[in-house]
Amino acid sequence: MQTPIRIGTRESQLAVWQATQVKDLLEKEGIPSTLVYIRSEGDIDLKTPLYEMGVQGVFTRSLDSALLNHTIDIAVHSMKDVPTRLPLGLQQAAVLKRGPVHDLLVYKGSLDFLTQKNTTAHIATSSIRRKAQWLHKYPHHEIHNLRGNVNTRLKKLEEGSWNAAIFAQAGLERINLRPEKSILLDWMLPAPAQGAILVACREDDETTYAACQSFNDPETTLCTKIERDFLRTLLGGCSTPISALAEIEDGDIYFSGQLLSLDGREKVEIEKILPVEKAGGMGKDAAEELLEKGGKEIADNIRIMIPPVPAE
């Protein structure tokens, strides 16, 4: 009898939903599996802003350790949380077909604060990227730190005095928690790999790697690689005001990337279009062009204010 593949997951409702998708996909191939619940540092400390925690890998380290210790066989992650270089001994086994990529604004009362220039609205998010983009568009608003899983953040918004909070569209819609009072922020460029789910396994585990190939989505794999190459070339960390989106349409890849200062006042952006077959180095090339266009000064200032996290 085949030994079940042990799927490591964080305990939040969204993380379990993601891991269950992988479990179902394995079962379609006749491969038995079981979920193993593991707590992450990012789930335990809900008060410290992410950038103060040395955010790179804060939601993935516990699962990575469990993989390397042979406690689990695969780890399922929100791909945007995964450092651009996996720890030594681990490999990317699959990337699932991507879900919605954008952010949502969940609000209370009315949306009048978006058009009233003399009103100081209070917006909650723990994301440096979202904060910078929001302040670039609404410099008179105030941003407040909001930590926790999706359910916790929705509850804090409901009980708090903020006007609104920003969430990933995929996170809310996957577990049917998108409130009626929410709007799509289609002007806000997402985090690299937002909406994608990554499955990791050990480099020496060929059997598990092979088992995951049936549900690896090549288009999502390519687009997220381009976005993460862009991120790694600019700064390398995932707690930065860096946004990127690569999409395939009619055989071409359309790429948009941004780098903002922490306060949102400065912004440099880039757009590129290339045929899919020539897009392998697109993320790195776009980042290098962005640095030449004025991004280097912004990136250098961010490095001073947010020291780089050691590679894992």
Side-chain angles (χ1 to χ4, degrees):
M1 187 175 174
Q2 190 174 352
T3 304
I5 290 177
R6 296 164 299 174
I7 304 172
T9 176
R10 291 161 57 195
E11 297 174 318
S12 73
Q13 184 182 359
L14 179 57
V16 173
W17 182 93
Q18 293 178 161
T20 302
Q21 302 309 300
V22 174
K23 188 175 191 296
D24 292 344
L25 289 165
L26 286 168
E27 286 179 359
K28 279 185 182 177
E29 300 298 314
I31 301 168
S33 60
T34 184
L35 300 185
V36 178
Y37 302 97
I38 293 170
R39 298 198 76 186
S40 77
E41 297 163 71
D43 294 321
I44 295 166
D45 181 352
L46 299 181
K47 293 184 178 178
T48 307
L50 290 176
Y51 62 84
E52 290 182 12
M53 296 179 72
V55 72
Q56 191 170 14
V58 73
F59 292 115
T60 60
R61 272 194 290 257
S62 299
L63 287 169
D64 292 340
S65 297
L67 261 181
L68 292 167
N69 293 335
H70 291 250
T71 305
I72 59 176
D73 302 304
I74 60 176
V76 182
H77 302 294
S78 290
M79 197 173 185
K80 69 176 182 178
D81 294 335
V82 179
T84 55
R85 296 191 189 280
L86 288 173
L88 214 57
L90 301 185
Q91 64 178 329
Q92 180 174 303
V95 181
L96 276 61
K97 187 174 177 60
R98 199 172 203 169
V101 300
H102 289 293
D103 291 304
L104 297 173
L105 185 72
V106 178
Y107 62 95
K108 302 192 298 186
S110 75
L111 284 169
D112 291 347
F113 62 86
L114 292 180
T115 54
Q116 294 171 341
K117 292 192 175 179
N118 296 324
T119 299
T120 301
H122 297 269
I123 311 298
T125 176
S126 64
S127 163
I128 291 177
R129 171 190 61 85
R130 290 171 179 150
K131 176 181 178 180
Q133 288 195 56
W134 192 270
L135 289 176
H136 184 79
K137 189 174 178 71
Y138 301 103
H140 54 294
H141 289 181
E142 285 189 18
I143 306 294
H144 301 268
N145 186 51
L146 175 60
R147 291 285 318 283
N149 61 42
V150 168
N151 311 67
T152 301
R153 283 181 283 146
L154 284 171
K155 189 167 187 284
K156 286 181 178 179
L157 172 62
E158 183 184 342
E159 295 174 351
S161 57
W162 304 311
N163 296 91
I166 307 172
F167 294 81
Q169 180 186 0
L172 289 179
E173 292 184 354
R174 280 170 171 159
I175 53 177
N176 299 313
L177 284 181
R178 178 174 175 175
E180 281 189 29
K181 287 195 169 184
S182 62
I183 57 170
L184 187 71
L185 299 174
D186 53 5
W187 56 266
M188 184 173 277
L189 203 60
Q194 185 158 311
I197 297 169
L198 180 145
V199 179
C201 71
R202 288 181 295 278
E203 284 182 346
D204 59 4
D205 189 349
E206 294 177 9
T207 303
T208 299
Y209 178 85
C212 296
Q213 293 312 292
S214 64
F215 52 83
N216 181 65
D217 184 70
E219 287 196 0
T220 303
T221 299
L222 175 59
C223 289
T224 52
K225 178 190 181 298
I226 290 168
E227 294 163 17
R228 283 158 63 79
D229 285 350
F230 179 77
L231 172 66
R232 180 168 56 241
T233 305
L234 285 179
L235 285 170
C238 55
S239 181
T240 47
I242 295 174
S243 314
L245 180 61
E247 297 177 297
I248 298 177
E249 189 177 323
D250 297 329
D252 288 329
I253 294 221
Y254 292 76
F255 177 82
S256 299
Q258 289 180 357
L259 172 63
L260 286 90
S261 59
L262 295 174
D263 60 9
R265 292 180 183 177
E266 301 172 78
K267 178 172 80 169
V268 286
E269 52 193 338
I270 189 166
E271 293 187 352
K272 292 178 79 71
I273 304 172
L274 280 175
V276 168
E277 61 271 15
K278 295 182 179 179
M282 193 178 198
K284 182 174 182 291
D285 292 345
E288 289 173 349
E289 285 183 39
L290 193 78
L291 290 170
E292 291 176 8
K293 286 176 62 176
K296 186 178 185 305
E297 186 178 345
I298 296 175
D300 288 345
N301 288 335
I302 291 172
R303 284 192 186 94
I304 293 168
M305 299 182 74
I306 305 178
V309 180
E312 297 182 66

